[in-house]
Amino acid sequence: MNHTQKVRLSDIAKKIGVSTVTVSKAIADKEGVSDELREKIKKLAADMGYRQKSAKIASLRKENSTGNIGIIIPSRFFERATSFYWSMYNALSKELISNGYYAIMEQLDAKEEFDLAIPHVIQDHKVDGVILLGQLSNDYAHYFLKHYSNFIFMDFYVNEENTDSVTTDNFYSEYIMTQYLISQGHRDIRFVGNFNATTSINDRFMGFMKAMLENGLHVSFDEIINDRDKRGFYSPIQLPEKMPTAFVCNCDETASRLIEVLGENGYSVPNDISVVGFDNFVSSGSVNPPLTTVEVDPSESARAAVELLLKKITGQQYTHGLTVVAGKLIFRDSVKKIS
């Protein structure tokens, strides 16, 4: 057997029949695991060729390290049907465990965000650093970076020096998606999403606009179809009077909602109108027809975010600024080729 670094804690846990957390505690010599089980886990890990990534990081920890990382998520992302951010939190938690850290999630409610309240996990000194996951208001983001340094933004960014962020390549991914629709014969295409709600939607629209303009097609900010308000709360989707042949939606959740609205108004997807999404994630179950979308790999994004934050808080050299994770087009049945 050719041993590589691809062996993960979850692989060991599955083979021995325990949780990933138990394996992590055993390998890190933490409490909560019997001596017998600890030795059994360590032996299996060695036999499988597991290489403990956390060893170097652990040696660089400060003396007062908590061994915890906070994941701060605006509560509005849990107040709707989507669980995209729950999926992202799970990926971050697993990646942190594989690096010898534990995740502590805290939801930031609207009042705390408006009042510019620093999260409790920071006030109570429970974490070594935090990942702020999901679009925050500009006021809160700028206030936060003035009062705390061991953090990164994830899935959004702010135009401020000395900030570190990890996002999907929203601009190029949406550009390629729009080019795909154009290659399928579509010329009248509308974008669905509030341009002012998040940096992700903003960048996705700009990618959409680039593809349209390069092909000499009409595009206008005034023709964006809103799916939410500026704070990120979903609002009813209003169909335009003159229907296009295709819609580019800023996320799968919006695409799913749009398909429902189209069906209620007598339109069939993709026979009458084509629809594409973004994220490759729909919480409310399968969409009919299956959605053409951009895949965002939570584990790849989590890996980039955790590596960046841990280097930052342990004083290692790293590249400051925006880290972009590539997306990938997933072709399904929601697009029809037209002449």
Side-chain angles (χ1 to χ4, degrees), residues 70-78 84-92 105-108 130-136 152-156 166 301-302 305:
I71 312 296
I72 313 300
I73 310 176
S75 59
R76 59 181 170 274
F77 292 119
F78 286 99
F84 176 78
Y85 285 101
W86 180 250
S87 173
M88 191 64 73
Y89 167 76
N90 284 335
L92 286 167
M105 182 174 69
E106 180 175 335
Q107 292 188 40
L108 186 73
V130 300
I131 296 172
L132 292 108
L133 175 59
Q135 184 80 41
L136 294 160
I152 64 167
F153 295 130
M154 188 171 183
D155 202 40
F156 79 105
V166 173
S301 297

PDB file of all heavy atoms in Angstrom, residues 70-78 84-92 105-108 130-136 152-156 166 301-302 305:
ATOM      1  N   GLY A  70     -13.384  30.270  16.592  1.00  0.00           N
ATOM      2  CA  GLY A  70     -14.783  30.656  16.514  1.00  0.00           C
ATOM      3  C   GLY A  70     -15.248  30.781  15.067  1.00  0.00           C
ATOM      4  O   GLY A  70     -14.508  31.291  14.222  1.00  0.00           O
ATOM      5  N   ILE A  71     -16.453  30.297  14.787  1.00  0.00           N
ATOM      6  CA  ILE A  71     -17.080  30.475  13.475  1.00  0.00           C
ATOM      7  C   ILE A  71     -18.298  31.372  13.708  1.00  0.00           C
ATOM      8  O   ILE A  71     -19.286  30.941  14.301  1.00  0.00           O
ATOM      9  CB  ILE A  71     -17.523  29.137  12.844  1.00  0.00           C
ATOM     10  CG1 ILE A  71     -16.399  28.097  12.914  1.00  0.00           C
ATOM     11  CG2 ILE A  71     -17.977  29.369  11.407  1.00  0.00           C
ATOM     12  CD1 ILE A  71     -15.168  28.424  12.129  1.00  0.00           C
ATOM     13  N   ILE A  72     -18.218  32.621  13.271  1.00  0.00           N
ATOM     14  CA  ILE A  72     -19.287  33.593  13.503  1.00  0.00           C
ATOM     15  C   ILE A  72     -20.143  33.703  12.254  1.00  0.00           C
ATOM     16  O   ILE A  72     -19.640  34.016  11.174  1.00  0.00           O
ATOM     17  CB  ILE A  72     -18.708  34.982  13.861  1.00  0.00           C
ATOM     18  CG1 ILE A  72     -17.604  34.862  14.933  1.00  0.00           C
ATOM     19  CG2 ILE A  72     -19.818  35.925  14.292  1.00  0.00           C
ATOM     20  CD1 ILE A  72     -18.073  34.252  16.223  1.00  0.00           C
ATOM     21  N   ILE A  73     -21.447  33.423  12.395  1.00  0.00           N
ATOM     22  CA  ILE A  73     -22.357  33.427  11.244  1.00  0.00           C
ATOM     23  C   ILE A  73     -23.561  34.315  11.552  1.00  0.00           C
ATOM     24  O   ILE A  73     -24.222  34.118  12.581  1.00  0.00           O
ATOM     25  CB  ILE A  73     -22.853  32.006  10.920  1.00  0.00           C
ATOM     26  CG1 ILE A  73     -21.674  31.028  10.822  1.00  0.00           C
ATOM     27  CG2 ILE A  73     -23.645  32.004   9.619  1.00  0.00           C
ATOM     28  CD1 ILE A  73     -22.092  29.590  10.598  1.00  0.00           C
ATOM     29  N   PRO A  74     -23.865  35.314  10.708  1.00  0.00           N
ATOM     30  CA  PRO A  74     -25.083  36.111  10.923  1.00  0.00           C
ATOM     31  C   PRO A  74     -26.317  35.212  10.985  1.00  0.00           C
ATOM     32  O   PRO A  74     -26.491  34.331  10.145  1.00  0.00           O
ATOM     33  CB  PRO A  74     -25.117  37.026   9.692  1.00  0.00           C
ATOM     34  CG  PRO A  74     -23.683  37.144   9.270  1.00  0.00           C
ATOM     35  CD  PRO A  74     -23.090  35.785   9.548  1.00  0.00           C
ATOM     36  N   SER A  75     -27.154  35.430  11.985  1.00  0.00           N
ATOM     37  CA  SER A  75     -28.284  34.527  12.220  1.00  0.00           C
ATOM     38  C   SER A  75     -29.285  34.516  11.070  1.00  0.00           C
ATOM     39  O   SER A  75     -30.022  33.550  10.902  1.00  0.00           O
ATOM     40  CB  SER A  75     -29.008  34.915  13.518  1.00  0.00           C
ATOM     41  OG  SER A  75     -29.477  36.249  13.450  1.00  0.00           O
ATOM     42  N   ARG A  76     -29.301  35.570  10.251  1.00  0.00           N
ATOM     43  CA  ARG A  76     -30.265  35.604   9.141  1.00  0.00           C
ATOM     44  C   ARG A  76     -30.035  34.471   8.152  1.00  0.00           C
ATOM     45  O   ARG A  76     -30.945  34.085   7.424  1.00  0.00           O
ATOM     46  CB  ARG A  76     -30.219  36.949   8.413  1.00  0.00           C
ATOM     47  CG  ARG A  76     -28.867  37.312   7.822  1.00  0.00           C
ATOM     48  CD  ARG A  76     -28.931  38.679   7.142  1.00  0.00           C
ATOM     49  NE  ARG A  76     -27.609  39.168   6.761  1.00  0.00           N
ATOM     50  CZ  ARG A  76     -26.808  39.835   7.570  1.00  0.00           C
ATOM     51  NH1 ARG A  76     -27.202  40.093   8.824  1.00  0.00           N
ATOM     52  NH2 ARG A  76     -25.636  40.279   7.155  1.00  0.00           N
ATOM     53  N   PHE A  77     -28.812  33.934   8.115  1.00  0.00           N
ATOM     54  CA  PHE A  77     -28.539  32.832   7.204  1.00  0.00           C
ATOM     55  C   PHE A  77     -29.121  31.514   7.708  1.00  0.00           C
ATOM     56  O   PHE A  77     -29.100  30.510   7.008  1.00  0.00           O
ATOM     57  CB  PHE A  77     -27.032  32.689   6.964  1.00  0.00           C
ATOM     58  CG  PHE A  77     -26.442  33.844   6.196  1.00  0.00           C
ATOM     59  CD1 PHE A  77     -25.462  34.638   6.748  1.00  0.00           C
ATOM     60  CD2 PHE A  77     -26.897  34.148   4.922  1.00  0.00           C
ATOM     61  CE1 PHE A  77     -24.930  35.709   6.053  1.00  0.00           C
ATOM     62  CE2 PHE A  77     -26.365  35.217   4.212  1.00  0.00           C
ATOM     63  CZ  PHE A  77     -25.378  36.004   4.779  1.00  0.00           C
ATOM     64  N   PHE A  78     -29.613  31.511   8.957  1.00  0.00           N
ATOM     65  CA  PHE A  78     -30.281  30.325   9.487  1.00  0.00           C
ATOM     66  C   PHE A  78     -31.781  30.539   9.620  1.00  0.00           C
ATOM     67  O   PHE A  78     -32.495  29.668  10.070  1.00  0.00           O
ATOM     68  CB  PHE A  78     -29.709  29.954  10.853  1.00  0.00           C
ATOM     69  CG  PHE A  78     -28.345  29.328  10.775  1.00  0.00           C
ATOM     70  CD1 PHE A  78     -27.211  30.085  11.018  1.00  0.00           C
ATOM     71  CD2 PHE A  78     -28.189  27.998  10.437  1.00  0.00           C
ATOM     72  CE1 PHE A  78     -25.950  29.523  10.936  1.00  0.00           C
ATOM     73  CE2 PHE A  78     -26.931  27.423  10.347  1.00  0.00           C
ATOM     74  CZ  PHE A  78     -25.812  28.184  10.600  1.00  0.00           C
ATOM     75  N   PHE A  84     -26.913  26.085   3.450  1.00  0.00           N
ATOM     76  CA  PHE A  84     -25.595  26.149   2.814  1.00  0.00           C
ATOM     77  C   PHE A  84     -24.516  26.468   3.840  1.00  0.00           C
ATOM     78  O   PHE A  84     -23.435  25.866   3.849  1.00  0.00           O
ATOM     79  CB  PHE A  84     -25.593  27.193   1.699  1.00  0.00           C
ATOM     80  CG  PHE A  84     -24.250  27.381   1.065  1.00  0.00           C
ATOM     81  CD1 PHE A  84     -23.761  26.475   0.139  1.00  0.00           C
ATOM     82  CD2 PHE A  84     -23.467  28.473   1.394  1.00  0.00           C
ATOM     83  CE1 PHE A  84     -22.513  26.645  -0.445  1.00  0.00           C
ATOM     84  CE2 PHE A  84     -22.224  28.656   0.819  1.00  0.00           C
ATOM     85  CZ  PHE A  84     -21.744  27.743  -0.107  1.00  0.00           C
ATOM     86  N   TYR A  85     -24.801  27.408   4.732  1.00  0.00           N
ATOM     87  CA  TYR A  85     -23.789  27.811   5.708  1.00  0.00           C
ATOM     88  C   TYR A  85     -23.608  26.761   6.802  1.00  0.00           C
ATOM     89  O   TYR A  85     -22.537  26.673   7.405  1.00  0.00           O
ATOM     90  CB  TYR A  85     -24.126  29.187   6.296  1.00  0.00           C
ATOM     91  CG  TYR A  85     -23.833  30.287   5.304  1.00  0.00           C
ATOM     92  CD1 TYR A  85     -24.860  30.876   4.559  1.00  0.00           C
ATOM     93  CD2 TYR A  85     -22.535  30.706   5.068  1.00  0.00           C
ATOM     94  CE1 TYR A  85     -24.587  31.849   3.626  1.00  0.00           C
ATOM     95  CE2 TYR A  85     -22.253  31.687   4.137  1.00  0.00           C
ATOM     96  CZ  TYR A  85     -23.277  32.252   3.414  1.00  0.00           C
ATOM     97  OH  TYR A  85     -22.999  33.213   2.476  1.00  0.00           O
ATOM     98  N   TRP A  86     -24.633  25.979   7.058  1.00  0.00           N
ATOM     99  CA  TRP A  86     -24.465  24.858   7.976  1.00  0.00           C
ATOM    100  C   TRP A  86     -23.515  23.836   7.364  1.00  0.00           C
ATOM    101  O   TRP A  86     -22.644  23.294   8.051  1.00  0.00           O
ATOM    102  CB  TRP A  86     -25.815  24.222   8.284  1.00  0.00           C
ATOM    103  CG  TRP A  86     -25.726  23.065   9.232  1.00  0.00           C
ATOM    104  CD1 TRP A  86     -25.926  21.752   8.965  1.00  0.00           C
ATOM    105  CD2 TRP A  86     -25.396  23.132  10.628  1.00  0.00           C
ATOM    106  NE1 TRP A  86     -25.741  20.990  10.092  1.00  0.00           N
ATOM    107  CE2 TRP A  86     -25.414  21.801  11.130  1.00  0.00           C
ATOM    108  CE3 TRP A  86     -25.094  24.170  11.501  1.00  0.00           C
ATOM    109  CZ2 TRP A  86     -25.136  21.498  12.457  1.00  0.00           C
ATOM    110  CZ3 TRP A  86     -24.814  23.871  12.830  1.00  0.00           C
ATOM    111  CH2 TRP A  86     -24.846  22.547  13.289  1.00  0.00           C
ATOM    112  N   SER A  87     -23.671  23.589   6.074  1.00  0.00           N
ATOM    113  CA  SER A  87     -22.770  22.686   5.363  1.00  0.00           C
ATOM    114  C   SER A  87     -21.340  23.214   5.396  1.00  0.00           C
ATOM    115  O   SER A  87     -20.378  22.466   5.611  1.00  0.00           O
ATOM    116  CB  SER A  87     -23.235  22.525   3.904  1.00  0.00           C
ATOM    117  OG  SER A  87     -22.306  21.782   3.155  1.00  0.00           O
ATOM    118  N   MET A  88     -21.177  24.526   5.210  1.00  0.00           N
ATOM    119  CA  MET A  88     -19.849  25.130   5.242  1.00  0.00           C
ATOM    120  C   MET A  88     -19.250  25.055   6.649  1.00  0.00           C
ATOM    121  O   MET A  88     -18.053  24.798   6.814  1.00  0.00           O
ATOM    122  CB  MET A  88     -19.934  26.584   4.791  1.00  0.00           C
ATOM    123  CG  MET A  88     -18.577  27.231   4.540  1.00  0.00           C
ATOM    124  SD  MET A  88     -17.657  26.460   3.190  1.00  0.00           S
ATOM    125  CE  MET A  88     -18.579  27.059   1.779  1.00  0.00           C
ATOM    126  N   TYR A  89     -20.094  25.256   7.674  1.00  0.00           N
ATOM    127  CA  TYR A  89     -19.603  25.145   9.053  1.00  0.00           C
ATOM    128  C   TYR A  89     -19.088  23.732   9.328  1.00  0.00           C
ATOM    129  O   TYR A  89     -18.042  23.548   9.955  1.00  0.00           O
ATOM    130  CB  TYR A  89     -20.709  25.497  10.051  1.00  0.00           C
ATOM    131  CG  TYR A  89     -20.352  25.109  11.465  1.00  0.00           C
ATOM    132  CD1 TYR A  89     -19.455  25.871  12.203  1.00  0.00           C
ATOM    133  CD2 TYR A  89     -20.877  23.951  12.049  1.00  0.00           C
ATOM    134  CE1 TYR A  89     -19.092  25.499  13.494  1.00  0.00           C
ATOM    135  CE2 TYR A  89     -20.516  23.577  13.326  1.00  0.00           C
ATOM    136  CZ  TYR A  89     -19.618  24.351  14.044  1.00  0.00           C
ATOM    137  OH  TYR A  89     -19.252  23.977  15.314  1.00  0.00           O
ATOM    138  N   ASN A  90     -19.825  22.717   8.872  1.00  0.00           N
ATOM    139  CA  ASN A  90     -19.381  21.337   9.083  1.00  0.00           C
ATOM    140  C   ASN A  90     -18.032  21.076   8.429  1.00  0.00           C
ATOM    141  O   ASN A  90     -17.167  20.400   8.996  1.00  0.00           O
ATOM    142  CB  ASN A  90     -20.423  20.356   8.521  1.00  0.00           C
ATOM    143  CG  ASN A  90     -21.634  20.221   9.414  1.00  0.00           C
ATOM    144  OD1 ASN A  90     -21.550  20.457  10.615  1.00  0.00           O
ATOM    145  ND2 ASN A  90     -22.765  19.883   8.839  1.00  0.00           N
ATOM    146  N   ALA A  91     -17.847  21.617   7.220  1.00  0.00           N
ATOM    147  CA  ALA A  91     -16.572  21.442   6.519  1.00  0.00           C
ATOM    148  C   ALA A  91     -15.441  22.133   7.274  1.00  0.00           C
ATOM    149  O   ALA A  91     -14.335  21.589   7.406  1.00  0.00           O
ATOM    150  CB  ALA A  91     -16.679  21.994   5.099  1.00  0.00           C
ATOM    151  N   LEU A  92     -15.714  23.326   7.803  1.00  0.00           N
ATOM    152  CA  LEU A  92     -14.708  24.048   8.583  1.00  0.00           C
ATOM    153  C   LEU A  92     -14.363  23.292   9.863  1.00  0.00           C
ATOM    154  O   LEU A  92     -13.194  23.187  10.243  1.00  0.00           O
ATOM    155  CB  LEU A  92     -15.217  25.452   8.938  1.00  0.00           C
ATOM    156  CG  LEU A  92     -15.239  26.473   7.802  1.00  0.00           C
ATOM    157  CD1 LEU A  92     -16.050  27.695   8.212  1.00  0.00           C
ATOM    158  CD2 LEU A  92     -13.815  26.883   7.420  1.00  0.00           C
ATOM    159  N   MET A 105     -19.230  27.546  17.179  1.00  0.00           N
ATOM    160  CA  MET A 105     -20.073  28.420  16.365  1.00  0.00           C
ATOM    161  C   MET A 105     -20.847  29.393  17.240  1.00  0.00           C
ATOM    162  O   MET A 105     -21.358  29.035  18.307  1.00  0.00           O
ATOM    163  CB  MET A 105     -21.065  27.607  15.530  1.00  0.00           C
ATOM    164  CG  MET A 105     -21.935  28.499  14.635  1.00  0.00           C
ATOM    165  SD  MET A 105     -22.999  27.573  13.494  1.00  0.00           S
ATOM    166  CE  MET A 105     -24.158  26.828  14.629  1.00  0.00           C
ATOM    167  N   GLU A 106     -20.934  30.636  16.789  1.00  0.00           N
ATOM    168  CA  GLU A 106     -21.783  31.636  17.444  1.00  0.00           C
ATOM    169  C   GLU A 106     -22.561  32.375  16.370  1.00  0.00           C
ATOM    170  O   GLU A 106     -21.982  32.859  15.393  1.00  0.00           O
ATOM    171  CB  GLU A 106     -20.950  32.620  18.258  1.00  0.00           C
ATOM    172  CG  GLU A 106     -21.804  33.687  18.947  1.00  0.00           C
ATOM    173  CD  GLU A 106     -21.008  34.599  19.867  1.00  0.00           C
ATOM    174  OE1 GLU A 106     -19.953  34.175  20.357  1.00  0.00           O
ATOM    175  OE2 GLU A 106     -21.452  35.741  20.090  1.00  0.00           O
ATOM    176  N   GLN A 107     -23.873  32.445  16.536  1.00  0.00           N
ATOM    177  CA  GLN A 107     -24.693  33.210  15.609  1.00  0.00           C
ATOM    178  C   GLN A 107     -24.751  34.660  16.050  1.00  0.00           C
ATOM    179  O   GLN A 107     -24.892  34.963  17.235  1.00  0.00           O
ATOM    180  CB  GLN A 107     -26.098  32.623  15.533  1.00  0.00           C
ATOM    181  CG  GLN A 107     -26.162  31.261  14.878  1.00  0.00           C
ATOM    182  CD  GLN A 107     -27.581  30.797  14.659  1.00  0.00           C
ATOM    183  OE1 GLN A 107     -28.459  31.582  14.278  1.00  0.00           O
ATOM    184  NE2 GLN A 107     -27.842  29.521  14.893  1.00  0.00           N
ATOM    185  N   LEU A 108     -24.614  35.549  15.088  1.00  0.00           N
ATOM    186  CA  LEU A 108     -24.665  36.986  15.353  1.00  0.00           C
ATOM    187  C   LEU A 108     -26.032  37.486  14.915  1.00  0.00           C
ATOM    188  O   LEU A 108     -26.346  37.504  13.717  1.00  0.00           O
ATOM    189  CB  LEU A 108     -23.557  37.692  14.568  1.00  0.00           C
ATOM    190  CG  LEU A 108     -23.362  39.183  14.811  1.00  0.00           C
ATOM    191  CD1 LEU A 108     -22.713  39.408  16.180  1.00  0.00           C
ATOM    192  CD2 LEU A 108     -22.490  39.800  13.716  1.00  0.00           C
ATOM    193  N   VAL A 130     -11.018  33.789  14.815  1.00  0.00           N
ATOM    194  CA  VAL A 130     -12.370  33.542  14.312  1.00  0.00           C
ATOM    195  C   VAL A 130     -12.420  33.630  12.801  1.00  0.00           C
ATOM    196  O   VAL A 130     -11.610  34.316  12.157  1.00  0.00           O
ATOM    197  CB  VAL A 130     -13.412  34.525  14.903  1.00  0.00           C
ATOM    198  CG1 VAL A 130     -13.488  34.425  16.408  1.00  0.00           C
ATOM    199  CG2 VAL A 130     -13.113  35.946  14.473  1.00  0.00           C
ATOM    200  N   ILE A 131     -13.395  32.902  12.245  1.00  0.00           N
ATOM    201  CA  ILE A 131     -13.752  33.000  10.830  1.00  0.00           C
ATOM    202  C   ILE A 131     -15.153  33.590  10.777  1.00  0.00           C
ATOM    203  O   ILE A 131     -16.082  33.028  11.352  1.00  0.00           O
ATOM    204  CB  ILE A 131     -13.732  31.617  10.148  1.00  0.00           C
ATOM    205  CG1 ILE A 131     -12.310  31.046  10.163  1.00  0.00           C
ATOM    206  CG2 ILE A 131     -14.257  31.715   8.719  1.00  0.00           C
ATOM    207  CD1 ILE A 131     -12.225  29.596   9.685  1.00  0.00           C
ATOM    208  N   LEU A 132     -15.299  34.752  10.131  1.00  0.00           N
ATOM    209  CA  LEU A 132     -16.612  35.369   9.974  1.00  0.00           C
ATOM    210  C   LEU A 132     -17.189  34.881   8.660  1.00  0.00           C
ATOM    211  O   LEU A 132     -16.714  35.254   7.586  1.00  0.00           O
ATOM    212  CB  LEU A 132     -16.501  36.889   9.997  1.00  0.00           C
ATOM    213  CG  LEU A 132     -16.094  37.439  11.368  1.00  0.00           C
ATOM    214  CD1 LEU A 132     -14.671  37.945  11.328  1.00  0.00           C
ATOM    215  CD2 LEU A 132     -17.030  38.540  11.827  1.00  0.00           C
ATOM    216  N   LEU A 133     -18.207  34.037   8.750  1.00  0.00           N
ATOM    217  CA  LEU A 133     -18.750  33.330   7.587  1.00  0.00           C
ATOM    218  C   LEU A 133     -20.078  33.931   7.152  1.00  0.00           C
ATOM    219  O   LEU A 133     -21.057  33.895   7.893  1.00  0.00           O
ATOM    220  CB  LEU A 133     -18.929  31.847   7.938  1.00  0.00           C
ATOM    221  CG  LEU A 133     -19.591  30.937   6.906  1.00  0.00           C
ATOM    222  CD1 LEU A 133     -18.810  30.927   5.598  1.00  0.00           C
ATOM    223  CD2 LEU A 133     -19.713  29.516   7.466  1.00  0.00           C
ATOM    224  N   GLY A 134     -20.121  34.482   5.956  1.00  0.00           N
ATOM    225  CA  GLY A 134     -21.359  35.068   5.445  1.00  0.00           C
ATOM    226  C   GLY A 134     -21.330  36.582   5.531  1.00  0.00           C
ATOM    227  O   GLY A 134     -20.729  37.153   6.447  1.00  0.00           O
ATOM    228  N   GLN A 135     -21.982  37.235   4.591  1.00  0.00           N
ATOM    229  CA  GLN A 135     -21.924  38.692   4.449  1.00  0.00           C
ATOM    230  C   GLN A 135     -22.403  39.422   5.696  1.00  0.00           C
ATOM    231  O   GLN A 135     -23.518  39.239   6.164  1.00  0.00           O
ATOM    232  CB  GLN A 135     -22.778  39.132   3.263  1.00  0.00           C
ATOM    233  CG  GLN A 135     -22.720  40.616   2.966  1.00  0.00           C
ATOM    234  CD  GLN A 135     -21.486  41.015   2.192  1.00  0.00           C
ATOM    235  OE1 GLN A 135     -21.081  40.329   1.281  1.00  0.00           O
ATOM    236  NE2 GLN A 135     -20.898  42.148   2.546  1.00  0.00           N
ATOM    237  N   LEU A 136     -21.528  40.281   6.219  1.00  0.00           N
ATOM    238  CA  LEU A 136     -21.875  41.170   7.320  1.00  0.00           C
ATOM    239  C   LEU A 136     -22.110  42.573   6.769  1.00  0.00           C
ATOM    240  O   LEU A 136     -21.676  42.896   5.662  1.00  0.00           O
ATOM    241  CB  LEU A 136     -20.741  41.220   8.347  1.00  0.00           C
ATOM    242  CG  LEU A 136     -20.448  39.923   9.108  1.00  0.00           C
ATOM    243  CD1 LEU A 136     -19.055  39.960   9.704  1.00  0.00           C
ATOM    244  CD2 LEU A 136     -21.489  39.714  10.199  1.00  0.00           C
ATOM    245  N   ILE A 152     -10.422  36.050   9.766  1.00  0.00           N
ATOM    246  CA  ILE A 152     -10.544  36.210   8.321  1.00  0.00           C
ATOM    247  C   ILE A 152     -12.026  36.267   7.973  1.00  0.00           C
ATOM    248  O   ILE A 152     -12.872  35.775   8.728  1.00  0.00           O
ATOM    249  CB  ILE A 152      -9.872  35.056   7.533  1.00  0.00           C
ATOM    250  CG1 ILE A 152     -10.584  33.713   7.812  1.00  0.00           C
ATOM    251  CG2 ILE A 152      -8.392  34.968   7.820  1.00  0.00           C
ATOM    252  CD1 ILE A 152     -10.180  32.604   6.857  1.00  0.00           C
ATOM    253  N   PHE A 153     -12.337  36.895   6.852  1.00  0.00           N
ATOM    254  CA  PHE A 153     -13.684  36.866   6.305  1.00  0.00           C
ATOM    255  C   PHE A 153     -13.788  35.667   5.369  1.00  0.00           C
ATOM    256  O   PHE A 153     -12.830  35.326   4.673  1.00  0.00           O
ATOM    257  CB  PHE A 153     -13.989  38.140   5.514  1.00  0.00           C
ATOM    258  CG  PHE A 153     -14.026  39.399   6.340  1.00  0.00           C
ATOM    259  CD1 PHE A 153     -13.316  40.526   5.945  1.00  0.00           C
ATOM    260  CD2 PHE A 153     -14.775  39.455   7.493  1.00  0.00           C
ATOM    261  CE1 PHE A 153     -13.357  41.691   6.684  1.00  0.00           C
ATOM    262  CE2 PHE A 153     -14.824  40.622   8.258  1.00  0.00           C
ATOM    263  CZ  PHE A 153     -14.099  41.749   7.850  1.00  0.00           C
ATOM    264  N   MET A 154     -14.972  35.053   5.318  1.00  0.00           N
ATOM    265  CA  MET A 154     -15.182  33.929   4.409  1.00  0.00           C
ATOM    266  C   MET A 154     -16.506  34.097   3.677  1.00  0.00           C
ATOM    267  O   MET A 154     -17.534  34.377   4.296  1.00  0.00           O
ATOM    268  CB  MET A 154     -15.164  32.601   5.173  1.00  0.00           C
ATOM    269  CG  MET A 154     -15.181  31.379   4.272  1.00  0.00           C
ATOM    270  SD  MET A 154     -14.902  29.855   5.207  1.00  0.00           S
ATOM    271  CE  MET A 154     -14.903  28.668   3.854  1.00  0.00           C
ATOM    272  N   ASP A 155     -16.475  33.955   2.372  1.00  0.00           N
ATOM    273  CA  ASP A 155     -17.617  34.091   1.486  1.00  0.00           C
ATOM    274  C   ASP A 155     -18.011  35.549   1.266  1.00  0.00           C
ATOM    275  O   ASP A 155     -19.076  35.831   0.729  1.00  0.00           O
ATOM    276  CB  ASP A 155     -18.824  33.283   1.979  1.00  0.00           C
ATOM    277  CG  ASP A 155     -19.808  32.982   0.841  1.00  0.00           C
ATOM    278  OD1 ASP A 155     -19.346  32.681  -0.269  1.00  0.00           O
ATOM    279  OD2 ASP A 155     -21.037  33.065   1.062  1.00  0.00           O
ATOM    280  N   PHE A 156     -17.164  36.475   1.702  1.00  0.00           N
ATOM    281  CA  PHE A 156     -17.336  37.891   1.364  1.00  0.00           C
ATOM    282  C   PHE A 156     -16.025  38.611   1.676  1.00  0.00           C
ATOM    283  O   PHE A 156     -15.100  38.034   2.245  1.00  0.00           O
ATOM    284  CB  PHE A 156     -18.506  38.514   2.141  1.00  0.00           C
ATOM    285  CG  PHE A 156     -18.195  38.885   3.568  1.00  0.00           C
ATOM    286  CD1 PHE A 156     -18.014  40.206   3.938  1.00  0.00           C
ATOM    287  CD2 PHE A 156     -18.096  37.900   4.541  1.00  0.00           C
ATOM    288  CE1 PHE A 156     -17.735  40.553   5.260  1.00  0.00           C
ATOM    289  CE2 PHE A 156     -17.817  38.231   5.864  1.00  0.00           C
ATOM    290  CZ  PHE A 156     -17.635  39.559   6.223  1.00  0.00           C
ATOM    291  N   VAL A 166     -11.465  34.660   2.173  1.00  0.00           N
ATOM    292  CA  VAL A 166     -11.515  33.499   1.280  1.00  0.00           C
ATOM    293  C   VAL A 166     -12.897  33.489   0.628  1.00  0.00           C
ATOM    294  O   VAL A 166     -13.916  33.498   1.326  1.00  0.00           O
ATOM    295  CB  VAL A 166     -11.277  32.182   2.042  1.00  0.00           C
ATOM    296  CG1 VAL A 166     -11.502  30.988   1.124  1.00  0.00           C
ATOM    297  CG2 VAL A 166      -9.872  32.137   2.626  1.00  0.00           C
ATOM    298  N   SER A 301     -12.899  25.000   0.141  1.00  0.00           N
ATOM    299  CA  SER A 301     -12.969  26.348   0.702  1.00  0.00           C
ATOM    300  C   SER A 301     -12.545  26.341   2.171  1.00  0.00           C
ATOM    301  O   SER A 301     -11.827  27.233   2.629  1.00  0.00           O
ATOM    302  CB  SER A 301     -14.391  26.899   0.573  1.00  0.00           C
ATOM    303  OG  SER A 301     -14.768  27.016  -0.780  1.00  0.00           O
ATOM    304  N   ALA A 302     -13.006  25.322   2.905  1.00  0.00           N
ATOM    305  CA  ALA A 302     -12.652  25.205   4.326  1.00  0.00           C
ATOM    306  C   ALA A 302     -11.150  25.023   4.501  1.00  0.00           C
ATOM    307  O   ALA A 302     -10.534  25.607   5.401  1.00  0.00           O
ATOM    308  CB  ALA A 302     -13.403  24.039   4.955  1.00  0.00           C
ATOM    309  N   ALA A 305      -9.452  28.346   4.016  1.00  0.00           N
ATOM    310  CA  ALA A 305      -9.725  29.274   5.114  1.00  0.00           C
ATOM    311  C   ALA A 305      -8.968  28.896   6.380  1.00  0.00           C
ATOM    312  O   ALA A 305      -8.369  29.751   7.049  1.00  0.00           O
ATOM    313  CB  ALA A 305     -11.227  29.312   5.395  1.00  0.00           C
TER     314      ALA A 305
END
